[in-house]
Amino acid sequence: MIDESTLNDDTVSLLYAQLRNMAAAFIFKPGERINESALSRDLGASRTPLREALNRLVSDEFVEFHPGQGFFCRDLSQSRVEHLYQARMAIECEAVRQAALHAKAEDLDALNAALDQTSDEYASCTDPIRLMELDEAFHMRLASLSGNCELLRMLATIYDKIRFVRTADLRRLQAAGRTTTARHRMVLNVVRTGDGAAASEAMRNHIEDRARHASEAVRLAFADLYAPKVELT
């Protein structure tokens, strides 16, 4: 329960973080109108800070506002997902190019050690959420080696917007007996050469491989969203 007596930017920021996580996980269905009254009750917050948090999400394009109708969850369309993958590619290719030029050997060694430590878990993991965490951790850590905090911030936003679809894609990939670990090692090895252009191309090939399966990933994501929930007794 949020203490309304402390209403300030911290309160709005807390609500914003909660709502952003809900939007990223599509707790609100694509295109669905957001019931502010129910949300206010569920989160224990008044309508004023809740609306401010929702307006922030509109600015981040997680939520849409329709005048006279209210707030709606963003759509999960094939074209939007393709555009997000294209944006991801542009950001990550530049980040990895910068990482190849500036990363320290010890930081690359640490990232390689992290791959070693998680490779067995990645291969055997059956929890799609954990798979997503492992995959995203590598990409974010590699991007951080660019030394460019703005690229890292933009990439984090892109990942929030496509996390639901990427989770479905990784589950599909693992079901086929494949993981992205080998690709990650290949990209990392190219980064070690210090060749920025080659590192950027290696990352582009990696992301394009997954982007080609975006249509199937969107279909799986919709199946996850609307599949009947089975209650355990």
Side-chain angles (χ1 to χ4, degrees), residues 110-125:
L111 186 50
N112 189 65
L115 280 178
D116 289 339
Q117 292 167 4
T118 59
S119 60
D120 288 344
E121 180 185 6
Y122 205 122
S124 60
C125 183

Side-chain angles (χ1 to χ4, degrees), residues 29-69:
K29 298 295 189 295
E32 177 183 68
R33 184 178 181 275
I34 296 173
N35 187 324
E36 291 182 61
S37 296
L39 199 55
S40 176
R41 181 184 64 249
D42 292 344
L43 297 180
S46 69
R47 296 286 287 274
T48 299
L50 179 65
R51 180 156 291 194
E52 175 60 27
L54 286 169
N55 280 323
R56 290 188 187 182
L57 288 172
V58 171
S59 297
D60 290 345
E61 299 183 345
F62 280 94
V63 168
E64 298 173 354
F65 180 73
H66 299 172
Q69 299 180 59

Side-chain angles (χ1 to χ4, degrees), residues 117-137:
Q117 292 167 4
T118 59
S119 60
D120 288 344
E121 180 185 6
Y122 205 122
S124 60
C125 183
T126 58
D127 179 358
I129 301 300
R130 179 57 180 160
L131 279 175
M132 184 74 261
E133 290 173 350
L134 292 169
D135 189 270
E136 193 171 305

Side-chain angles (χ1 to χ4, degrees), residues 76-131:
L76 181 61
S77 66
Q78 180 64 37
S79 61
R80 177 167 293 187
V81 171
E82 288 176 354
H83 292 166
L84 287 168
Y85 267 96
Q86 290 167 5
R88 176 196 171 196
M89 189 181 304
I91 294 167
E92 288 210 59
C93 286
E94 177 57 21
V96 80
R97 186 183 76 83
Q98 293 291 336
L101 298 175
H102 304 299
K104 297 178 181 179
E106 55 265 33
D107 292 329
L108 295 172
D109 289 341
L111 186 50
N112 189 65
L115 280 178
D116 289 339
Q117 292 167 4
T118 59
S119 60
D120 288 344
E121 180 185 6
Y122 205 122
S124 60
C125 183
T126 58
D127 179 358
I129 301 300
R130 179 57 180 160
L131 279 175

Side-chain angles (χ1 to χ4, degrees), residues 4-222:
E4 297 297 341
S5 66
T6 62
L7 178 57
N8 50 32
D9 283 345
D10 288 340
T11 301
V12 175
S13 295
L14 175 59
L15 283 168
Y16 168 80
Q18 290 177 293
L19 292 171
R20 180 169 168 137
N21 287 336
M22 293 171 73
F26 279 104
I27 301 301
F28 315 115
K29 298 295 189 295
E32 177 183 68
R33 184 178 181 275
I34 296 173
N35 187 324
E36 291 182 61
S37 296
L39 199 55
S40 176
R41 181 184 64 249
D42 292 344
L43 297 180
S46 69
R47 296 286 287 274
T48 299
L50 179 65
R51 180 156 291 194
E52 175 60 27
L54 286 169
N55 280 323
R56 290 188 187 182
L57 288 172
V58 171
S59 297
D60 290 345
E61 299 183 345
F62 280 94
V63 168
E64 298 173 354
F65 180 73
H66 299 172
Q69 299 180 59
F71 295 95
F72 290 78
C73 179
R74 74 192 192 282
D75 192 17
L76 181 61
S77 66
Q78 180 64 37
S79 61
R80 177 167 293 187
V81 171
E82 288 176 354
H83 292 166
L84 287 168
Y85 267 96
Q86 290 167 5
R88 176 196 171 196
M89 189 181 304
I91 294 167
E92 288 210 59
C93 286
E94 177 57 21
V96 80
R97 186 183 76 83
Q98 293 291 336
L101 298 175
H102 304 299
K104 297 178 181 179
E106 55 265 33
D107 292 329
L108 295 172
D109 289 341
L111 186 50
N112 189 65
L115 280 178
D116 289 339
Q117 292 167 4
T118 59
S119 60
D120 288 344
E121 180 185 6
Y122 205 122
S124 60
C125 183
T126 58
D127 179 358
I129 301 300
R130 179 57 180 160
L131 279 175
M132 184 74 261
E133 290 173 350
L134 292 169
D135 189 270
E136 193 171 305
F138 169 81
H139 281 273
M140 292 299 293
R141 191 167 174 180
L142 179 57
S144 73
L145 299 183
S146 69
N148 188 319
C149 62
E150 290 302 316
L151 286 175
L152 198 62
R153 180 184 59 80
M154 289 188 290
L155 184 58
T157 297
I158 293 293
Y159 271 133
D160 279 351
K161 291 181 178 179
I162 60 173
R163 184 173 294 122
F164 196 83
V165 172
R166 290 195 68 234
T167 300
D169 181 48
L170 286 171
R171 189 177 72 247
R172 174 182 178 275
L173 189 68
Q174 190 198 50
R178 299 170 57 201
T179 72
T180 57
T181 302
R183 285 276 190 170
H184 290 172
R185 290 191 187 281
M186 183 188 71
V187 171
L188 188 56
N189 287 337
V190 178
V191 172
R192 282 185 180 279
T193 69
D195 187 333
S200 179
E201 184 63 21
M203 180 61 78
R204 179 179 299 279
N205 290 337
H206 174 45
I207 297 175
E208 282 182 342
D209 181 58
R210 302 320 316 149
R212 283 194 291 269
H213 300 282
S215 178
E216 177 66 10
V218 170
R219 187 189 69 78
L220 288 174
F222 267 109

